[in-house]
């Protein structure tokens, strides 16, 4: 199944992430996602006397955002004020490149000599732009998406070309990828890891000429065989490095920590201001870098494009490393004070703790704790091939690294949990062994050579018995198969005011489609909780004053925003954990696909959790707070952790449908060009402004287009028209805004303004919301 089939192409290297961090700050709230605006409530109490306000933001916001704040040990802009959101595989030459390292044509068919091997792996966007990283919810870490245009494998005639068909979504998030109790070496996000996957229909792939690469020829044959759809690409990013300018790139401005960063930002902005706001030569990005391993293989029928498929195992018991790759020693306080960690934070006094599990009673992330951490292993997908007599396991996200021993570069040695035994847990409680994985098979060298995929031969006297696949470590079940799993390619959903949509959820039982299975779809809000559902609308507060209920009793507090309602399935109320909430239950069709319908209700964010179960069975109670971001904290099973969850994220954009008519009325009542410009830019305008947000948050735009300069914007209307089009926003990397938070109402306002500019600000006929129907400024 998927890349667990043969043949496979392996690659390893580096990923460069260059997001702007002003709208997804870990420490403070600069961005109001529900309104797609600066967070004026927070900023009003922040900065100079009187706060940062809609009236003074042009002179107060940037100086505050770029300055070092001792209270948070960072700048409010965090680590990358000039980030472009681009994402690329690094190609710096030598061991700083992302290259094809080998392949496999079968369990014993390791390929080390082929025209593809040593070739570059590249990732691009479309329209000549880089691929981009976008969070569906910018304040979360579980909704990252990569919008891309093409991937290529190989060099000089031996190239496999892959155009985009499906965007990628972060899967298998793991906040504990670095195996250490030392908060100094694992903060703030160095230990976060995740997996990305995409797939491409066979007809869209370009291949080398026959005979150039045997590995490519075999993959081409397998990808076009009956039962195959095309090729699949999967890679995992792990052990992240920050403040790497001059080491993993040639950027001349090289801050080593947040205080350095604040200094260089001040110099850049002072230069820009002294030049009359034209000199951006000292603007600089400060990317993050991840190690990556990856694999390309066959995409088979019935498999999703963006979610790893197969028999799915999650943590059952916490385990402790004991071998040579075991826990790193805690660094001394003197040594910690003398060095600055890769995350850019001055290490002594760092407030961010490592998100690892400690033994009971011990402080999480305590640097003085000598005991090794106990951790859940990351998830696994597996495939049992009885014909080949092989069980293949993808351990790309399973085993943590030691990470940072105190010296650069980081130590990528895998933690050693001893031999891992694979078996089938039968109904009678016995385990039928299938094989064993030694440390030499999952350690760093083997992991980097095969992207974490391990093929284990087995020998049984008869057919493989029915049972639950398990992985044992130290004589206990560390990982256990989830009999039912449910995933979707529609991981990041966007809805506008009044919009409805449907999306599909694929349901599997023991790794194969499960016709007739049921899936509960439940909403979880920003606090990771199930939202309370108020069934009696007569007691729902309306407005600022809570009314009384039918009996005169004081009404409960206003319910949280529901964001979306369900439009398909069996919609019911359930009570779980003291919470009454609304769910829908959908049933899979003959192919194991269930359809979920949604309608936009209120602006905001929601996570939709999927809880699959067998037809005719009774569903288990829903966890009221299942979306646990930091890791398992209770007894097993640990599938309530975000690392192992089945879910989709939804963003309902601001409700701005009244803005286009307001804009038309403003223009028709006086034909004032300054007034309509103010409407689209300034937050003090009747419409609340549009462009000011992106002007303030995405400073890198000043290198290309000054969003606050009316003349510059009037000269750029053709590009602006294309970049804000719905088609560009849906899947493209060349789009404005990159964050995809432009509502339909605000988009129409910008299009109406472009219409006015392109036509010389006509006073007649009167401007209407339909004036752009069938019209375009591009010739």
């Amino acid at each position: 199944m998927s890349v667990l089939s043969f043949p496979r192409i392996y690659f390893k290297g580096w990923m460069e992430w260059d997001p702007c961090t002003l709208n997804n700050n870990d420490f403070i709230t600069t961005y109001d996602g529900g309104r797609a605006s600066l967070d004026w409530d927070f900023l009003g109490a922040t900065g100079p006397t009187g706060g940062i306000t809609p009236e003074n933001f042009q002179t107060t916001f940037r100086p505050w955002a770029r300055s070092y704040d001792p209270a948070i040990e960072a700048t409010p802009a965090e680590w990358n004020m000039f980030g472009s959101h681009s994402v690329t595989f690094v190609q710096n030459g030598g061991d700083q490149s992302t290259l094809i390292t080998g392949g496999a044509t079968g369990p014993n068919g390791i390929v080390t000599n082929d025209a593809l091997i040593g070739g570059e792996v590249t990732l691009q966007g479309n329209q000549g732009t880089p691929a981009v990283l976008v969070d569906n919810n910018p304040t979360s870490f579980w909704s990252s998406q990569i919008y891309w245009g093409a991937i290529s494998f190989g060099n000089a005639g031996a190239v496999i070309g892959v155009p985009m068909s499906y965007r990628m979504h972060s899967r298998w998030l793991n906040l504990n990828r670095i195996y250490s109790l030392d908060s100094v070496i694992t903060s703030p996000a160095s230990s976060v890891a995740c997996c990305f996957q995409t797939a491409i229909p066979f007809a869209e792939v370009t291949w080398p000429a026959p005979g150039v690469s045997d590995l490519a020829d075999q993959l081409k044959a397998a990808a076009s065989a009956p039962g195959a759809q095309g090729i699949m690409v999967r890679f995992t990013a792990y052990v992240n490095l920050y403040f790497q300018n001059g080491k993993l790139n040639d950027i001349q401005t090289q801050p080593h920590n947040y205080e350095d960063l604040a200094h260089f930002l001040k110099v850049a902005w002072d230069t820009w201001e002294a030049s009359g706001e034209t000199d951006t030569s000292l603007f600089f990005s400060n990317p993050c870098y991840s190690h990556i391993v990856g694999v390309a293989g066959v995409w088979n029928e019935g498999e999703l494009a963006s979610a790893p498929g197969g028999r799915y195992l999650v943590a059952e018991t916490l385990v402790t490393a004991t071998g040579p790759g075991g826990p790193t020693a805690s660094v001394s306080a003197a040594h910690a004070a003398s060095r600055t960690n890769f995350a850019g934070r001055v290490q002594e006094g760092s407030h961010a703790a490592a998100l690892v599990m400690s033994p009971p009673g011990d402080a999480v992330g305590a640097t003085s704790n000598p005991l090794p951490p106990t951790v859940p292993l990351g998830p696994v997908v597996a495939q049992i091939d009885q014909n080949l007599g092989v069980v293949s396991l993808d351990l790309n996200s399973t085993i943590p690294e030691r990470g940072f021993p105190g010296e650069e570069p980081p130590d990528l040695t895998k933690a050693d949990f001893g031999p891992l035994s694979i078996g089938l847990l039968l109904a009678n409680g016995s385990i039928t062994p299938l094989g064993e994985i030694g440390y030499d098979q999952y350690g760093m060298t083997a992991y980097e050579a095969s992207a974490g995929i391990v093929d284990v031969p087995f020998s049984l006297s008869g057919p493989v018995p029915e049972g639950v696949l398990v992985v044992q470590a130290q004589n206990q079940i560390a990982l256990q198969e989830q009999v039912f799993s449910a995933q979707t390619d529609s991981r990041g959903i966007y809805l506008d005011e009044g919009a409805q949509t449907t999306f599909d959820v694929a349901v599997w039982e023991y790794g194969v489609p499960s016709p007739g299975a049921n899936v509960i779809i439940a909403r979880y809000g920003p606090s990771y909780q199930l939202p309370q559902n108020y069934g009696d609308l007569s007691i729902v507060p309306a407005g600022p004053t809570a009314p009384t209920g039918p009996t005169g009793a004081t009404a409960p507090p206003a319910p949280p925003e529901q964001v979306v309602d369900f439009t398909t399935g069996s919609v019911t109320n359930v009570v779980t954990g003291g919470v009454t909430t609304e769910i829908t239950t959908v049933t899979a069709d003959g192919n194991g696909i269930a359809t979920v319908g949604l309608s936009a209700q209120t602006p905001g964010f929601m996570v939709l959790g999927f809880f699959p179960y067998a037809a005719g069975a009774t569903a288990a109670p829903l966890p009221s707070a299942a979306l646990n971001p930091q890791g398992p904290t209770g007894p097993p099973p640990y599938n309530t952790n975000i690392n192992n969850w089945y879910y989709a994220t939804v963003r309902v954009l601001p409700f701005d449908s009244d803005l286009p008519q307001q804009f038309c009325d403003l223009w028709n009542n006086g034909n004032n060009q300054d007034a309509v410009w103010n409407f689209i830019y300034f937050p003090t305008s009747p419409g609340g402004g549009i462009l000011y947000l992106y002007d303030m948050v995405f400073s890198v735009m000043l290198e290309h287009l000054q969003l606050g300069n009316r003349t510059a914007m009037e000269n750029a209307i053709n590009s602006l028209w294309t970049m804000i089009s719905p088609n560009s926003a849906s899947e493209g990397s060349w789009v404005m805004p990159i964050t995809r938070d432009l509502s339909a109402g605000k988009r129409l306002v910008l299009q109406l303004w472009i219409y006015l500019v392109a036509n010389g600000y006509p006073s007649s006929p009167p401007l209407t919301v339909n004036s752009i129907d069938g019209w375009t400024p591009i010739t």
Side-chain angles (χ1 to χ4, degrees), residues 166-169 171 197-199 299 303-307 487-493 503-506 610 648:
Y166 298 90
R167 91 181 77 136
M168 300 183 230
H169 303 275
R171 308 278 182 174
Q197 177 180 297
T198 190
W299 179 31
E303 297 176 343
L304 294 183
S306 67
Q487 298 283 15
T488 182
D489 279 328
S490 300
R491 190 65 173 273
I493 298 170
F503 68 96
D504 291 338
V505 176
F610 308 154

Side-chain angles (χ1 to χ4, degrees), residues 233-418:
V233 180
R234 182 185 301 170
F235 63 89
T236 299
Y238 62 102
V239 184
N240 311 311
L241 309 181
Y242 295 79
F243 291 80
Q244 293 296 297
N245 286 358
K247 300 173 184 177
L248 286 168
N249 59 43
D250 57 3
I251 297 174
Q252 296 301 305
T253 304
Q254 299 170 8
H256 299 295
N257 52 51
Y258 277 109
E259 290 175 301
D260 284 354
L261 179 63
H263 165 73
F264 288 122
L265 289 174
K266 183 178 186 304
V267 172
W269 283 110
D270 285 352
T271 300
W272 179 75
E273 291 165 358
S275 69
E277 302 183 350
T278 60
D279 186 354
T280 60
S281 62
L282 296 185
F283 287 9
F284 63 95
S285 64
N286 189 32
C288 166
Y289 292 87
S290 301
H291 297 82
I292 64 164
V293 293
V295 58
V298 180
W299 179 31
N300 291 305
E301 290 179 355
E303 297 176 343
L304 294 183
S306 67
R311 301 183 71 155
Y312 181 57
L313 289 72
V314 301
E316 177 70 14
T317 304
L318 302 178
V319 292
T320 303
T322 57
T328 56
S330 297
V331 295
S332 68
H335 185 53
S338 69
R339 65 183 175 88
T340 300
N341 82 344
F342 291 112
R345 185 184 306 282
V346 175
Q347 294 182 348
E348 187 175 43
S350 173
H351 70 272
L355 297 175
V356 296
M357 293 298 299
S358 298
D362 293 321
V364 173
T367 58
S368 61
N369 189 342
L371 298 178
T374 57
V375 297
L377 297 184
V380 170
V381 287
Q383 170 184 294
I384 299 176
D385 190 323
Q386 181 144 352
N387 292 329
L388 291 176
V390 169
V391 54
S392 299
L393 303 97
D394 191 343
L395 307 182
N396 74 71
S397 297
T398 309
I399 309 295
E401 283 76 20
R402 291 177 50 158
F404 297 81
E407 301 297 332
E408 187 180 354
D411 183 357
L412 299 182
T413 303
K414 291 283 189 180
D416 185 352
F417 297 96

Side-chain angles (χ1 to χ4, degrees), residues 135-161:
D135 289 344
N136 181 263
N137 177 352
T139 61
S140 77
F141 60 85
W142 56 82
S143 68
S144 297
Q145 309 160 105
I146 296 177
Y147 290 83
W148 59 285
I151 299 175
S152 67
F153 297 87
N155 293 326
V159 178
I160 300 174

Side-chain angles (χ1 to χ4, degrees), residues 9 87 97 141 148 172 174 181 190 208 237 251 261 270 305 371 382 385 399 461 466 501 503 542 640 652:
I9 297 172
V87 52
S97 292
F141 60 85
W148 59 285
W172 292 356
N174 188 349
L181 283 175
S190 298
I251 297 174
L261 179 63
D270 285 352
L371 298 178
D385 190 323
I399 309 295
S461 58
E466 292 186 1
T501 193
F503 68 96
T640 56
V652 175

